[in-house]
């Protein structure tokens, strides 16, 4: 039997704590992992489906892999758009059955994996949670739009609060960004005020960027 690939390889790399300051200015330059061109702090990513990791890329390399036939089935550009499901249907009982011990989680299917994976951020990075597949199937049935989360490149991000649930279809690198925020800002047992302030800012930015859809996938007014 072929061992299951580690779905967190790219996540651990992108969300690791910032390295010590480099010795020289040249060493500080970030470069495209495909062509070595210098890239900005904000840049695109391409999923390496065989290596189960994300590559930091320049715009030209990113665009090479946005087409459906690009990459010969190995590379795929991570999308940039964010969608918020305005009327997501999930109950407290379903959430409890998913066995997510915190109020944030993302769900990702990877090429070669038998089932979707569930992950939540914490001070040590991302932790995989055992997922009750029957309960997850109920959530998918009630929210057909979630089927639009393409394997490897788009995740379903769920957040529970006193006001209910917020659900987003996001590029997978945004989940890695969230994990990095939590990991790098966490202090003490409960995280500290700074980490939760940064999490709030992260979701406020998602809300500004997002286009809204209903649970069936139809666009709806949102603002």
């Amino acid at each position: 039997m072929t061992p299951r690939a580690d779905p967190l390889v790219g996540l651990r790399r992108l969300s690791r704590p910032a390295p010590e300051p480099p010795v020289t200015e040249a060493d500080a330059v970030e470069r495209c992992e495909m062509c070595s061109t210098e890239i900005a702090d904000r840049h695109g990513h391409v999923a390496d489906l065989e290596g189960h990791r994300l590559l930091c890329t320049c715009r030209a390399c990113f665009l090479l892999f946005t087409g459906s036939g690009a990459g010969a089935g190995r590379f795929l550009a991570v999308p940039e758009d964010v969608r918020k499901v305005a009327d997501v249907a999930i109950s407290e009982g379903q959430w409890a059955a998913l066995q997510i011990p915190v109020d944030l989680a993302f769900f990702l299917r990877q090429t070669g994996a038998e089932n979707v994976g569930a992950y939540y951020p914490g001070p040590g990075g991302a932790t995989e949670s055992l997922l009750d597949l029957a309960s997850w199937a109920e959530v998918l049935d009630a929210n057909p739009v979630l089927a639009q989360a393409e394997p490897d490149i788009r995740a379903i991000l769920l957040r529970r609060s006193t006001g209910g649930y917020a659900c987003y279809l996001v590029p997978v690198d945004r989940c890695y960004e969230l994990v990095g925020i939590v990991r790098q800002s966490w202090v003490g047992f409960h995280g500290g005020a700074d980490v939760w302030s940064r999490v709030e800012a992260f979701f406020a930015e998602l809300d500004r960027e997002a286009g809204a859809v209903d649970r069936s996938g139809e666009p709806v007014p949102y603002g």
Side-chain angles (χ1 to χ4, degrees), residues 96-161:
L98 294 176
Q99 304 179 62
I100 306 296
V102 296
D103 292 335
L104 283 176
F106 65 93
F107 304 81
L108 175 68
R109 182 182 293 278
Q110 283 206 308
T111 298
E114 184 177 352
N115 298 307
V116 66
Y119 310 93
Y120 58 91
T127 300
E128 184 171 7
S129 178
L130 295 176
L131 186 60
D132 184 295
L133 297 179
S135 297
W136 183 242
E138 291 178 4
V139 174
L140 295 180
D141 288 344
N143 303 277
V145 67
L146 301 184
Q148 296 180 12
E150 307 100 310
D152 303 293
I153 58 174
R154 194 186 297 275
I156 299 161
L157 177 60
L158 280 174
R159 185 188 193 194
R160 183 176 67 166
S161 66

Side-chain angles (χ1 to χ4, degrees), residues 194-217:
D194 181 57
V195 67
W196 300 119
S197 175
R198 293 186 65 191
V199 168
E200 289 294 336
F202 172 86
F203 278 98
E205 183 177 356
L206 279 190
D207 284 334
R208 286 191 295 270
E209 295 179 23
V213 294
D214 63 23
R215 71 185 71 161
S216 68

Side-chain angles (χ1 to χ4, degrees), residues 30-47:
E30 189 161 10
R31 296 190 177 277
C32 173
E33 293 184 73
M34 288 188 153
C35 72
S36 297
T37 298
E38 183 177 339
I39 56 178
D41 290 340
R42 297 287 291 187
H43 51 260
H45 295 97
V46 169

